[in-house]
Amino acid sequence: MTDTVFEQLLILLQREFRVVPLQQLVESQGSLDGLQRVALTFDDGWEDTYSLAYPLMLRYGVPATVFICPGLMGTNRLLPEERFVRIWRSCKSREQLHLLQNDLRKWTTCNSSSLEMHFWARRLKQLPMDAKHMMLAHLEDIYRVAGDGVRRFMTWDEARIMANNGMTFGSHTMNHSTLKVEQPEHIMEDLVSSRQMIARKLGREITQLAYPNGGYDHRVIELAAEAGYSYGLTTDNGYVTRYTRPLSIPRISMADAVVTDERTSLHFPRTRVYLQRFSDKSART
């Protein structure tokens, strides 16, 4: 979402909703002064969350929760999913997709003949993090594709500035792991170490977690609770009600393609309908 559209969205939310911290939204559903509560969340901790979104949230007095990966802070490393897209596009431009497909079949033990990028991207998410990194490094090497990106993740200093000015932080695992495909001992180690590192770096208790790639199940939820988390956010579309389980909170994804008009400005009626389609009387994230 562009900064222009994001500012227009903040104006809409300030006018027609009550933007509150995530914990307050979960613990006290319903309206506030006749207006529905909403909470803003950001995943990954990209630098533009600090440089573009944060100043606007300060200007409009809007709180938010940012879920970060401690192992990626301050780096320009691409997420595994982004590395895969870069490899695929490079191979496509050089007419090497059939070669890439053969390699993917070996690494994912999938015999599909699909030449659809999204099919193989879904297979990638089913690999444990170590296997995923090994495969991507191998593919980047043989197809000569750079592994780093142009964007970077925010630094710890930037995160501290945000935390000192009303923004809340949570864990997004240490390095953006799809938790449900990992072994239990690796999940627990990741959840505990990422929580402890963020707490140590920011000087705050960390109780919130967002599952990378929406990868969670009952086992992950149980381990998250054991690791000390009180809230877990999914990528499931939905809103918060009194029946929502604290460690499987749904969200409403916002993107330019959904809420903008042909001039790439926020389409207020469309955005309003998009939000209300999830609920006309319950709290929303």
Side-chain angles (χ1 to χ4, degrees):
M1 177 175 288
T2 66
D3 54 338
T4 299
V5 172
F6 181 63
E7 181 171 12
Q8 294 169 338
L9 176 62
L10 290 181
I11 293 171
L12 172 65
L13 294 177
Q14 285 283 69
R15 187 173 65 201
E16 302 189 16
F17 299 88
R18 280 287 179 264
V19 186
V20 298
L22 176 62
Q23 182 173 344
Q24 182 180 336
L25 174 71
V26 177
E27 294 179 353
S28 305
Q29 295 88 30
S31 62
L32 184 65
D33 299 330
L35 297 175
Q36 295 300 319
R37 291 181 174 93
V38 299
L40 292 179
T41 61
F42 296 82
D43 287 359
D44 303 330
W46 291 107
E47 184 274 339
D48 55 13
T49 302
Y50 170 78
S51 64
L52 299 180
Y54 169 60
L56 291 171
M57 291 186 289
L58 274 185
R59 181 186 306 171
Y60 290 95
V62 171
T65 300
V66 183
F67 294 96
I68 57 176
C69 301
L72 300 177
M73 295 292 281
T75 73
N76 66 337
R77 289 166 53 190
L78 292 172
L79 297 178
E81 296 75 21
E82 295 173 317
R83 291 169 67 186
F84 177 72
V85 170
R86 179 178 286 191
I87 292 167
W88 185 277
R89 290 175 175 170
S90 176
C91 289
K92 184 177 181 180
S93 69
R94 291 181 285 182
E95 300 183 349
Q96 294 179 319
L97 281 184
H98 285 285
L99 294 175
L100 177 60
Q101 178 205 60
N102 288 334
D103 280 317
L104 291 172
R105 291 170 68 178
K106 296 174 185 176
W107 279 89
T108 62
T109 65
C110 174
N111 291 322
S112 174
S113 59
S114 174
L115 287 175
E116 293 293 327
M117 181 180 69
H118 294 297
F119 172 85
W120 291 106
R122 288 192 297 270
R123 298 294 302 185
L124 176 72
K125 291 179 180 181
Q126 297 172 15
L127 294 177
M129 183 61 81
D130 288 345
K132 194 180 301 183
H133 279 309
M134 288 179 60
M135 183 193 79
L136 291 171
H138 170 74
L139 295 177
E140 287 165 348
D141 181 50
I142 63 173
Y143 294 109
R144 301 185 181 280
V145 179
D148 291 332
V150 177
R151 290 196 303 169
R152 70 165 173 85
F153 292 90
M154 69 174 67
T155 65
W156 286 113
D157 284 342
E158 292 165 344
R160 275 188 284 270
I161 290 172
M162 295 179 68
N164 290 336
N165 287 279
M167 302 300 159
T168 303
F169 282 82
S171 171
H172 204 38
T173 74
M174 188 63 74
N175 290 291
H176 207 268
S177 297
T178 304
L179 292 173
K180 71 177 183 179
V181 303
E182 301 290 343
Q183 294 299 312
E185 61 272 20
H186 295 157
I187 297 173
M188 180 57 73
E189 180 183 0
D190 192 317
L191 292 177
V192 170
S193 60
S194 62
R195 179 172 177 262
Q196 290 177 343
M197 181 175 289
I198 298 171
R200 185 172 67 253
K201 292 286 190 178
L202 300 184
R204 284 164 173 76
E205 183 181 9
I206 303 301
T207 62
Q208 301 174 14
L209 166 71
Y211 308 110
N213 300 314
Y216 77 102
D217 53 23
H218 293 299
R219 180 190 58 157
V220 171
I221 288 175
E222 291 175 359
L223 291 171
E226 188 177 341
Y229 293 95
S230 301
Y231 307 102
L233 275 72
T234 72
T235 56
D236 301 334
N237 271 323
Y239 52 87
V240 175
T241 73
R242 62 176 175 269
Y243 305 109
T244 299
R245 296 179 179 179
L247 284 166
S248 55
I249 299 171
R251 291 188 278 183
I252 299 174
S253 176
M254 304 296 292
D256 282 0
V258 176
V259 298
T260 58
D261 57 23
E262 62 278 1
R263 296 171 299 174
T264 65
S265 295
L266 189 76
H267 192 290
F268 283 87
R270 185 186 302 160
T271 304
R272 190 177 297 111
V273 170
Y274 176 69
L275 291 172
Q276 291 174 346
R277 65 187 276 247
F278 291 95
S279 170
D280 60 0
K281 57 184 177 182
S282 297
R284 293 180 281 271
T285 57

